[in-house]
Amino acid sequence: MTSFSLPLHPLTSYGWDDAWADEFAPYDAEGLLAGRVIRVDRGQCDVVTADGVVRADTAFVTPNDPLRVVCTGDWVAVEPAGNPRYVRSYLPRRTAFVRSTSSKRSEGQILAANVDYAVVAVSLAVELELGRVERFLALAWESGAQPVVVLTKADLVPDPATLGYLVEDVEQTAPGVPVLAVSASSGEGLDVLEAVLSGGTTVLLGQSGAGKSTLANALLGEDVMEVQAARDVDGKGRHTTTTRNLLALPGGGVLIDTPGLRGVGLWDAETGVGQVFAEIEELAKHCRFQDCAHVAEPGCAVLAALDSGTLPERRLDSYRKLLRENQRIVAKTDARLRAEIRKDWKRKGAEGRAAMEAKRGRR
Ligand code: GDP
Ligand code: ZN
Protein backbone atom coordinates (compact mmCIF):
# COMPACT_ATOMS: atom_id res chain seq x y z
CA MET A 1 0.00 0.00 0.00
CA THR A 2 1.18 3.50 -0.80
CA SER A 3 -1.79 5.26 0.70
CA PHE A 4 0.47 6.93 3.30
CA SER A 5 1.79 9.18 0.56
CA LEU A 6 -1.69 10.51 -0.30
CA PRO A 7 -2.44 13.84 1.33
CA LEU A 8 -5.12 13.45 3.98
CA HIS A 9 -8.21 15.62 3.60
CA PRO A 10 -8.06 18.32 6.31
CA LEU A 11 -11.49 17.26 7.57
CA THR A 12 -10.63 13.57 7.93
CA SER A 13 -10.20 13.92 11.67
CA TYR A 14 -13.75 15.31 11.78
CA GLY A 15 -15.21 12.27 10.05
CA TRP A 16 -14.98 13.26 6.40
CA ASP A 17 -14.87 10.19 4.13
CA ASP A 18 -15.26 9.18 0.49
CA ALA A 19 -19.03 8.87 0.79
CA TRP A 20 -19.35 12.43 2.13
CA ALA A 21 -17.00 13.63 -0.63
CA ASP A 22 -19.25 12.00 -3.25
CA GLU A 23 -22.34 13.62 -1.80
CA PHE A 24 -20.61 16.95 -1.63
CA ALA A 25 -19.37 16.88 -5.22
CA PRO A 26 -22.18 19.04 -6.70
CA TYR A 27 -21.59 21.73 -4.03
CA ASP A 28 -17.87 21.52 -4.62
CA ALA A 29 -18.54 22.20 -8.29
CA GLU A 30 -20.41 25.36 -7.23
CA GLY A 31 -17.35 26.52 -5.31
CA LEU A 32 -18.93 25.99 -1.88
CA LEU A 33 -16.87 25.01 1.13
CA ALA A 34 -17.43 21.71 2.97
CA GLY A 35 -17.59 21.75 6.74
CA ARG A 36 -19.01 20.11 9.84
CA VAL A 37 -21.18 21.98 12.29
CA ILE A 38 -19.57 22.09 15.72
CA ARG A 39 -22.14 24.33 17.36
CA VAL A 40 -25.47 25.98 16.61
CA ASP A 41 -27.06 28.94 18.26
CA ARG A 42 -30.08 30.93 17.17
CA GLY A 43 -29.69 31.44 13.45
CA GLN A 44 -25.94 30.98 13.36
CA CYS A 45 -23.56 28.10 13.50
CA ASP A 46 -19.85 27.44 13.79
CA VAL A 47 -18.49 25.20 11.08
CA VAL A 48 -15.09 23.55 10.95
CA THR A 49 -13.76 23.71 7.39
CA ALA A 50 -10.45 23.23 5.61
CA ASP A 51 -9.95 26.96 6.22
CA GLY A 52 -10.51 26.70 9.96
CA VAL A 53 -13.64 27.46 11.97
CA VAL A 54 -16.05 29.84 10.28
CA ARG A 55 -19.27 31.36 11.53
CA ALA A 56 -22.20 31.06 9.15
CA ASP A 57 -25.81 32.14 8.96
CA THR A 58 -28.44 29.39 8.72
CA ALA A 59 -31.29 31.46 7.28
CA PHE A 60 -31.36 29.39 4.07
CA VAL A 61 -31.63 26.11 5.89
CA THR A 62 -34.06 26.92 8.69
CA PRO A 63 -37.49 25.70 7.64
CA ASN A 64 -40.50 25.60 9.95
CA ASP A 65 -39.92 21.95 10.68
CA PRO A 66 -37.84 21.69 13.88
CA LEU A 67 -36.34 18.43 12.68
CA ARG A 68 -34.93 19.95 9.54
CA VAL A 69 -32.88 22.70 11.05
CA VAL A 70 -29.11 22.44 10.93
CA CYS A 71 -27.66 20.82 14.02
CA THR A 72 -24.31 19.84 15.51
CA GLY A 73 -22.75 17.04 13.49
CA ASP A 74 -24.29 18.06 10.15
CA TRP A 75 -22.08 18.29 7.08
CA VAL A 76 -22.84 21.57 5.36
CA ALA A 77 -22.05 23.53 2.21
CA VAL A 78 -20.92 27.04 3.20
CA GLU A 79 -20.36 30.05 1.01
CA PRO A 80 -16.61 30.63 0.60
CA ALA A 81 -16.92 34.32 1.51
CA GLY A 82 -19.44 37.03 2.35
CA ASN A 83 -20.68 38.94 5.35
CA PRO A 84 -22.60 37.16 6.58
CA ARG A 85 -21.74 33.99 4.76
CA TYR A 86 -24.57 31.52 4.51
CA VAL A 87 -24.95 27.79 4.92
CA ARG A 88 -26.50 26.83 1.58
CA SER A 89 -27.42 23.25 2.34
CA TYR A 90 -26.59 20.24 4.45
CA LEU A 91 -25.87 16.70 3.32
CA PRO A 92 -28.44 13.96 3.95
CA ARG A 93 -28.04 12.68 7.49
CA ARG A 94 -26.89 9.15 8.14
CA THR A 95 -28.34 9.14 11.62
CA ALA A 96 -30.06 11.64 13.90
CA PHE A 97 -30.74 12.04 17.60
CA VAL A 98 -34.13 13.51 18.37
CA ARG A 99 -35.71 14.19 21.71
CA SER A 100 -39.24 14.94 22.73
CA THR A 101 -39.72 18.52 23.78
CA SER A 102 -41.86 19.46 26.72
CA SER A 103 -44.25 21.36 24.46
CA LYS A 104 -47.87 20.21 24.30
CA ARG A 105 -47.51 18.96 20.75
CA SER A 106 -44.66 16.74 21.77
CA GLU A 107 -42.68 17.61 18.70
CA GLY A 108 -39.22 16.25 18.28
CA GLN A 109 -36.17 18.39 18.54
CA ILE A 110 -33.03 17.44 16.67
CA LEU A 111 -29.95 17.29 18.89
CA ALA A 112 -27.15 15.72 16.88
CA ALA A 113 -26.63 14.35 13.39
CA ASN A 114 -24.38 11.72 11.85
CA VAL A 115 -23.61 9.89 15.06
CA ASP A 116 -22.07 6.43 14.66
CA TYR A 117 -21.76 5.33 18.28
CA ALA A 118 -24.07 6.06 21.18
CA VAL A 119 -22.22 5.30 24.38
CA VAL A 120 -24.59 4.56 27.24
CA ALA A 121 -22.65 5.25 30.43
CA VAL A 122 -23.78 3.16 33.38
CA SER A 123 -22.19 3.64 36.79
CA LEU A 124 -20.92 0.62 38.69
CA ALA A 125 -20.95 2.74 41.86
CA VAL A 126 -24.69 2.16 42.24
CA GLU A 127 -26.93 -0.86 41.76
CA LEU A 128 -27.52 -1.71 38.10
CA GLU A 129 -30.95 -0.64 36.90
CA LEU A 130 -31.43 -2.64 33.75
CA GLY A 131 -34.71 -0.91 32.87
CA ARG A 132 -32.89 2.37 32.65
CA VAL A 133 -30.20 0.88 30.46
CA GLU A 134 -32.88 -0.51 28.14
CA ARG A 135 -34.49 2.91 27.81
CA PHE A 136 -31.23 4.53 26.71
CA LEU A 137 -30.58 1.64 24.34
CA ALA A 138 -33.96 2.11 22.67
CA LEU A 139 -33.13 5.72 22.03
CA ALA A 140 -29.68 4.85 20.74
CA TRP A 141 -30.97 2.22 18.30
CA GLU A 142 -33.70 4.51 17.09
CA SER A 143 -31.18 7.17 16.13
CA GLY A 144 -29.48 4.76 13.77
CA ALA A 145 -26.24 4.79 15.76
CA GLN A 146 -24.60 1.64 17.14
CA PRO A 147 -25.09 1.54 20.93
CA VAL A 148 -22.15 0.68 23.18
CA VAL A 149 -22.68 0.19 26.90
CA VAL A 150 -19.83 1.46 29.04
CA LEU A 151 -19.85 0.36 32.67
CA THR A 152 -17.99 3.19 34.36
CA LYS A 153 -16.03 3.36 37.61
CA ALA A 154 -14.86 -0.25 37.25
CA ASP A 155 -12.19 0.50 39.88
CA LEU A 156 -15.00 0.31 42.44
CA VAL A 157 -15.51 -3.37 41.61
CA PRO A 158 -12.06 -4.80 42.37
CA ASP A 159 -13.12 -8.45 42.18
CA PRO A 160 -12.75 -9.58 38.54
CA ALA A 161 -15.36 -12.35 38.91
CA THR A 162 -17.97 -9.90 40.20
CA LEU A 163 -17.14 -7.51 37.38
CA GLY A 164 -17.51 -10.36 34.92
CA TYR A 165 -21.00 -11.17 36.23
CA LEU A 166 -22.07 -7.56 35.97
CA VAL A 167 -20.86 -7.35 32.38
CA GLU A 168 -22.70 -10.59 31.57
CA ASP A 169 -25.92 -9.28 33.13
CA VAL A 170 -25.83 -6.24 30.92
CA GLU A 171 -24.85 -8.25 27.85
CA GLN A 172 -27.97 -10.36 28.29
CA THR A 173 -30.04 -7.21 28.45
CA ALA A 174 -28.43 -5.78 25.37
CA PRO A 175 -28.38 -8.15 22.39
CA GLY A 176 -26.12 -6.85 19.64
CA VAL A 177 -24.47 -4.29 21.90
CA PRO A 178 -20.81 -4.40 23.00
CA VAL A 179 -20.45 -3.99 26.76
CA LEU A 180 -17.18 -2.63 28.15
CA ALA A 181 -16.07 -2.00 31.72
CA VAL A 182 -13.83 1.05 32.10
CA SER A 183 -12.36 3.18 34.81
CA ALA A 184 -11.32 6.75 34.22
CA SER A 185 -9.38 6.64 37.51
CA SER A 186 -7.26 3.58 36.78
CA GLY A 187 -7.40 3.80 33.00
CA GLU A 188 -8.70 0.23 32.78
CA GLY A 189 -10.55 -0.46 29.53
CA LEU A 190 -9.98 3.01 28.10
CA ASP A 191 -7.71 1.75 25.33
CA VAL A 192 -10.39 -0.65 24.10
CA LEU A 193 -13.02 2.07 24.21
CA GLU A 194 -10.76 4.49 22.35
CA ALA A 195 -10.15 1.90 19.66
CA VAL A 196 -13.89 1.27 19.24
CA LEU A 197 -14.74 4.96 19.06
CA SER A 198 -11.88 5.84 16.70
CA GLY A 199 -14.03 4.64 13.80
CA GLY A 200 -16.68 7.36 13.92
CA THR A 201 -18.67 9.99 15.75
CA THR A 202 -19.79 9.35 19.32
CA VAL A 203 -22.29 10.79 21.76
CA LEU A 204 -22.39 10.05 25.49
CA LEU A 205 -25.74 9.22 27.05
CA GLY A 206 -26.63 8.23 30.57
CA GLN A 207 -27.90 9.43 33.89
CA SER A 208 -26.36 12.32 35.72
CA GLY A 209 -23.46 11.05 37.80
CA ALA A 210 -22.80 8.12 35.48
CA GLY A 211 -19.33 9.48 34.77
CA LYS A 212 -19.85 11.00 31.31
CA SER A 213 -17.85 14.19 31.87
CA THR A 214 -14.99 12.27 33.40
CA LEU A 215 -15.07 9.84 30.50
CA ALA A 216 -15.14 12.68 27.98
CA ASN A 217 -12.08 14.23 29.63
CA ALA A 218 -10.26 10.91 29.63
CA LEU A 219 -11.02 10.42 25.92
CA LEU A 220 -10.09 13.96 24.98
CA GLY A 221 -6.85 13.87 26.97
CA GLU A 222 -5.50 16.46 29.36
CA ASP A 223 -3.90 18.58 26.68
CA VAL A 224 -7.13 19.23 24.87
CA MET A 225 -8.91 20.22 28.04
CA GLU A 226 -6.09 22.57 29.01
CA VAL A 227 -6.30 24.20 25.62
CA GLN A 228 -10.04 24.61 25.98
CA ALA A 229 -9.67 26.13 29.43
CA ALA A 230 -6.99 28.54 28.26
CA ARG A 231 -9.20 29.71 25.45
CA ASP A 232 -12.11 30.18 27.80
CA VAL A 233 -10.02 32.60 29.79
CA ASP A 234 -9.31 34.98 26.97
CA GLY A 235 -12.84 36.18 26.73
CA LYS A 236 -16.07 35.94 24.83
CA GLY A 237 -14.71 37.43 21.64
CA ARG A 238 -13.31 34.14 20.41
CA HIS A 239 -16.62 32.36 20.53
CA THR A 240 -15.68 29.88 17.84
CA THR A 241 -13.15 28.12 20.02
CA THR A 242 -14.69 28.37 23.46
CA THR A 243 -17.81 26.27 23.27
CA ARG A 244 -17.61 23.75 20.52
CA ASN A 245 -19.92 20.83 21.00
CA LEU A 246 -18.03 18.62 18.58
CA LEU A 247 -14.38 17.70 19.10
CA ALA A 248 -11.90 15.48 17.30
CA LEU A 249 -10.52 12.81 19.64
CA PRO A 250 -6.73 12.48 19.82
CA GLY A 251 -7.03 8.71 19.33
CA GLY A 252 -9.23 9.15 16.25
CA GLY A 253 -12.97 9.65 16.00
CA VAL A 254 -15.17 12.56 17.04
CA LEU A 255 -17.08 13.33 20.22
CA ILE A 256 -20.33 15.29 20.22
CA ASP A 257 -21.49 16.59 23.57
CA THR A 258 -24.39 19.00 23.27
CA PRO A 259 -26.40 20.28 26.22
CA GLY A 260 -29.66 18.39 26.38
CA LEU A 261 -28.41 15.31 24.63
CA ARG A 262 -27.13 13.52 27.69
CA GLY A 263 -30.36 12.85 29.51
CA VAL A 264 -32.51 12.74 26.42
CA GLY A 265 -35.97 11.12 26.60
CA LEU A 266 -37.66 8.68 24.30
CA TRP A 267 -39.19 10.02 21.14
CA ASP A 268 -41.03 7.79 18.70
CA ALA A 269 -38.59 4.97 19.27
CA GLU A 270 -40.70 1.92 18.49
CA THR A 271 -38.08 0.48 16.16
CA GLY A 272 -35.44 1.15 18.80
CA VAL A 273 -37.49 -0.57 21.51
CA GLY A 274 -37.87 -3.57 19.21
CA GLN A 275 -34.11 -3.75 18.75
CA VAL A 276 -33.43 -3.62 22.47
CA PHE A 277 -35.77 -6.56 22.99
CA ALA A 278 -34.76 -8.44 19.86
CA GLU A 279 -35.19 -11.84 21.50
CA ILE A 280 -38.82 -11.06 22.44
CA GLU A 281 -39.61 -9.89 18.91
CA GLU A 282 -38.00 -13.09 17.64
CA LEU A 283 -40.15 -15.21 19.97
CA ALA A 284 -43.26 -13.31 18.89
CA LYS A 285 -42.76 -14.53 15.33
CA HIS A 286 -43.55 -18.01 16.61
CA CYS A 287 -46.81 -17.10 18.35
CA ARG A 288 -49.87 -18.80 16.83
CA PHE A 289 -51.61 -15.48 16.23
CA GLN A 290 -49.87 -12.78 14.30
CA ASP A 291 -51.36 -10.03 16.45
CA CYS A 292 -50.68 -11.91 19.69
CA ALA A 293 -50.48 -9.56 22.68
CA HIS A 294 -48.69 -12.22 24.75
CA VAL A 295 -51.21 -11.91 27.57
CA ALA A 296 -53.28 -15.11 27.61
CA GLU A 297 -53.40 -16.27 23.99
CA PRO A 298 -53.07 -19.98 23.23
CA GLY A 299 -49.89 -20.94 21.40
CA CYS A 300 -48.04 -17.83 22.64
CA ALA A 301 -44.29 -18.39 22.29
CA VAL A 302 -43.46 -15.43 24.53
CA LEU A 303 -45.51 -16.78 27.44
CA ALA A 304 -44.03 -20.24 26.85
CA ALA A 305 -40.51 -18.79 27.16
CA LEU A 306 -41.60 -17.01 30.32
CA ASP A 307 -42.92 -20.30 31.77
CA SER A 308 -39.80 -22.22 30.88
CA GLY A 309 -37.64 -19.52 32.44
CA THR A 310 -35.69 -18.68 29.26
CA LEU A 311 -37.25 -15.21 29.20
CA PRO A 312 -36.99 -13.30 32.49
CA GLU A 313 -40.23 -11.66 33.59
CA ARG A 314 -38.41 -8.40 34.27
CA ARG A 315 -37.44 -8.25 30.61
CA LEU A 316 -41.02 -8.66 29.35
CA ASP A 317 -42.29 -6.09 31.85
CA SER A 318 -39.65 -3.62 30.76
CA TYR A 319 -40.48 -4.21 27.08
CA ARG A 320 -44.17 -3.51 27.73
CA LYS A 321 -43.41 -0.44 29.78
CA LEU A 322 -41.21 1.11 27.11
CA LEU A 323 -43.70 0.30 24.35
CA ARG A 324 -46.52 1.95 26.33
CA GLU A 325 -44.40 4.97 27.05
CA ASN A 326 -43.46 5.24 23.41
CA GLN A 327 -47.08 4.96 22.28
CA ARG A 328 -48.07 7.83 24.55
CA ILE A 329 -45.45 10.03 22.97
CA VAL A 330 -46.29 8.96 19.45
CA ALA A 331 -49.99 9.63 20.02
CA LYS A 332 -49.12 13.21 20.79
CA THR A 333 -47.00 13.69 17.74
CA ASP A 334 -48.10 14.93 14.39
CA ALA A 335 -48.43 11.92 12.11
CA ARG A 336 -47.38 13.69 8.95
CA LEU A 337 -44.16 14.87 10.47
CA ARG A 338 -43.35 11.39 11.66
CA ALA A 339 -43.99 9.75 8.34
CA GLU A 340 -41.72 12.22 6.65
CA ILE A 341 -38.88 11.70 9.08
CA ARG A 342 -39.10 7.93 8.79
CA LYS A 343 -39.02 8.00 5.04
CA ASP A 344 -36.10 10.36 5.01
CA TRP A 345 -33.86 9.15 7.80
CA LYS A 346 -34.42 5.44 7.65
CA ARG A 347 -33.54 5.39 3.98
CA LYS A 348 -30.56 7.65 4.36
CA GLY A 349 -29.46 5.79 7.45
CA ALA A 350 -29.42 2.55 5.49
CA GLU A 351 -27.52 4.17 2.65
CA GLY A 352 -25.03 5.66 5.05
CA ARG A 353 -24.42 2.37 6.77
CA ALA A 354 -24.00 0.60 3.46
CA ALA A 355 -21.44 3.20 2.46
CA MET A 356 -19.63 2.81 5.76
CA GLU A 357 -19.55 -0.95 5.42
CA ALA A 358 -18.22 -0.66 1.90
CA LYS A 359 -15.51 1.64 3.22
CA ARG A 360 -14.60 -0.76 6.04
CA GLY A 361 -14.44 -3.62 3.58
CA ARG A 362 -11.90 -1.73 1.53
CA ARG A 363 -9.39 -1.37 4.35
P1 GDP B 1 -21.74 12.85 34.68
O1 GDP B 1 -22.79 13.54 35.48
O2 GDP B 1 -22.29 11.64 33.99
O3 GDP B 1 -20.99 13.74 33.75
O4 GDP B 1 -20.68 12.24 35.75
P2 GDP B 1 -19.28 12.83 36.21
O5 GDP B 1 -18.25 12.61 35.16
O6 GDP B 1 -19.46 14.22 36.70
O7 GDP B 1 -18.92 11.86 37.41
C1 GDP B 1 -19.74 11.72 38.55
C2 GDP B 1 -18.89 11.30 39.74
O8 GDP B 1 -18.29 10.03 39.50
C3 GDP B 1 -17.74 12.25 40.03
O9 GDP B 1 -17.65 12.42 41.40
C4 GDP B 1 -16.53 11.51 39.48
O10 GDP B 1 -15.35 11.86 40.17
C5 GDP B 1 -16.89 10.07 39.71
N1 GDP B 1 -16.20 9.19 38.74
C6 GDP B 1 -16.17 9.34 37.39
N2 GDP B 1 -15.42 8.38 36.80
C7 GDP B 1 -14.94 7.62 37.82
C8 GDP B 1 -14.11 6.44 37.86
O11 GDP B 1 -13.63 5.90 36.86
N3 GDP B 1 -13.88 5.91 39.10
C9 GDP B 1 -14.39 6.45 40.22
N4 GDP B 1 -14.11 5.85 41.37
N5 GDP B 1 -15.16 7.54 40.23
C10 GDP B 1 -15.45 8.13 39.04
ZN1 ZN C 1 -47.56 -14.24 21.96
Side-chain angles (χ1 to χ4, degrees), residues 142 266-272 326 329-330 333 338 342 346:
E142 185 68 21
L266 273 184
W267 188 81
D268 191 8
E270 194 180 335
T271 313
N326 187 62
I329 293 160
V330 170
T333 312
R338 261 181 15 244
R342 276 234 176 75
K346 292 282 153 67

Side-chain angles (χ1 to χ4, degrees), residues 153 155-156 183-185 207-214 262:
K153 316 186 196 184
D155 53 289
L156 300 178
S183 165
S185 318
Q207 249 195 309
S208 170
K212 297 177 298 296
S213 314
T214 312
R262 295 172 152 208

